[in-house]
Amino acid sequence: MSKLFIVSTPIGNLGDITLRSIEVLKSADLILAEDTRTSLKLLKHYNIETAIESFHMHNEHKKLESIINRLKDNIEIALISDAGTPGISDPGFLLVRECIKHEVDVESLPGPTAFVPALVCSGLPSDRFSFEGFLPVKKGRTKRLKELSNEKKTMIFYESPHRILKTLTDFSNYFNDESLISVSRELTKLFEETFRGTIKESIEHFEKNKPKGEFVIVLSPK
Ligand code: SAM
């Protein structure tokens, strides 16, 4: 039977992949990957020789029809992204929606994603939270920050090293700058680090220590 598998891949440490994910990647007829060159390193590491094709934010709309047609032909396709879980700030949603529309089975294998370890080790309430992904860079940014200033749940953001200080400074304007925040970088990697303190202290910290790597910000509610 045809099936689309959503397979999460490591966010740094290559050991963070499940046994079932490796099995599915080996037995699939085709792997769709955001950047084939990036994913080939992982696939090589685990001796996975399945055919691979690109599927990213610039071609996903164009490729939907051909993927669905192939899925109707009794094949199994595995979707992966550069890191973590497809569909979480990465392509995936459109293809899953299209599969459901065409009654193609979809199975998502549990696996790595950056926001869960960041939330869990933040020390901030994890019973209810709002995953915000990347804030809009320009259009819609102010509106989103205003909306979030009344949020009652712990908030989680993804951010790049060159925008982290700007985002923390925006937080100090839209939230109380004594609000608690946790900023994790390079999760599962050699230089993994989590800064915990107030928004104000986090700005001082990253003004002194040049931000490097990939970041997840966890912010306490109002
Ligand atoms: N699909 C991924 C997931 O499931 O987490 C997210 C992909 S998104 C394009 C990339 C962002 O995820 C980075 O800018 C960063 O905010 C976060 N991220 C990914 N890997 C990370 C890591 N090892 N440490 C901290 N943040 C990470």
Side-chain angles (χ1 to χ4, degrees):
M1 216 178 71
S2 300
K3 202 172 206 177
L4 173 72
F5 286 96
I6 310 296
V7 181
S8 301
T9 54
I11 56 165
N13 189 321
L14 280 189
D16 291 335
I17 186 162
T18 68
L19 295 174
R20 195 150 78 92
S21 298
I22 298 172
E23 279 166 25
V24 165
L25 290 174
K26 280 189 173 165
S27 66
D29 298 288
L30 175 69
I31 294 173
L32 295 174
E34 224 184 333
D35 181 333
T36 52
R37 272 202 310 193
T38 302
S39 296
L40 275 171
K41 286 180 206 145
L42 175 78
L43 301 182
K44 240 185 202 154
H45 184 82
Y46 286 103
N47 299 317
I48 298 165
E49 292 174 346
T50 308
I52 185 167
E53 210 177 281
S54 79
F55 183 78
H56 47 68
M57 62 185 288
H58 303 295
N59 70 6
E60 58 177 339
H61 283 92
K62 222 170 59 194
K63 290 191 100 163
L64 283 183
E65 199 182 329
S66 108
I67 295 168
I68 294 294
N69 284 338
R70 281 181 276 173
L71 276 166
K72 283 180 177 164
D73 236 359
N74 223 13
I75 69 164
E76 290 187 345
I77 295 184
L79 175 68
I80 60 177
S81 62
D82 284 354
T85 303
I88 301 296
S89 297
D90 265 340
F93 156 68
L94 287 179
L95 182 55
V96 170
R97 187 175 65 177
E98 207 62 11
C99 284
I100 294 167
K101 194 168 134 196
H102 289 86
E103 298 185 345
V104 172
D105 246 20
V106 180
E107 185 174 343
S108 175
L109 276 54
T113 186
F115 77 87
V116 173
L119 170 65
V120 172
C121 76
S122 68
L124 297 174
S126 57
D127 51 344
R128 297 180 72 206
F129 59 88
S130 170
F131 175 71
E132 296 297 325
F134 292 98
L135 276 173
V137 176
K138 286 190 184 125
K139 198 167 172 278
R141 187 175 174 96
T142 306
K143 185 168 172 266
R144 180 76 54 86
L145 283 163
K146 273 188 192 153
E147 281 166 11
L148 290 172
S149 63
N150 289 312
E151 178 58 65
K152 301 279 191 303
K153 298 191 274 289
T154 299
M155 290 157 269
I156 306 169
F157 302 87
Y158 281 172
E159 199 46 280
S160 66
H162 54 273
R163 223 174 280 126
I164 185 102
L165 259 171
K166 156 101 179 99
T167 294
L168 294 174
T169 308
D170 282 350
F171 285 172
S172 75
N173 293 325
Y174 286 89
F175 303 87
N176 179 341
D177 69 359
E178 293 297 327
S179 298
L180 293 178
I181 198 166
S182 168
V183 186
S184 292
R185 71 176 196 99
E186 299 288 80
L187 289 158
T188 79
K189 301 185 190 177
L190 198 59
F191 298 107
E192 170 166 350
E193 207 170 52
T194 293
F195 172 87
R196 299 175 187 87
T198 64
I199 296 180
K200 194 173 158 194
E201 287 164 349
S202 73
I203 296 172
E204 287 160 9
H205 175 81
F206 288 108
E207 275 172 350
K208 272 193 223 128
N209 305 279
K210 192 176 184 294
K212 283 190 199 130
E214 301 187 276
F215 289 84
V216 183
I217 309 172
V218 184
L219 179 60
S220 64
K222 199 176 173 184

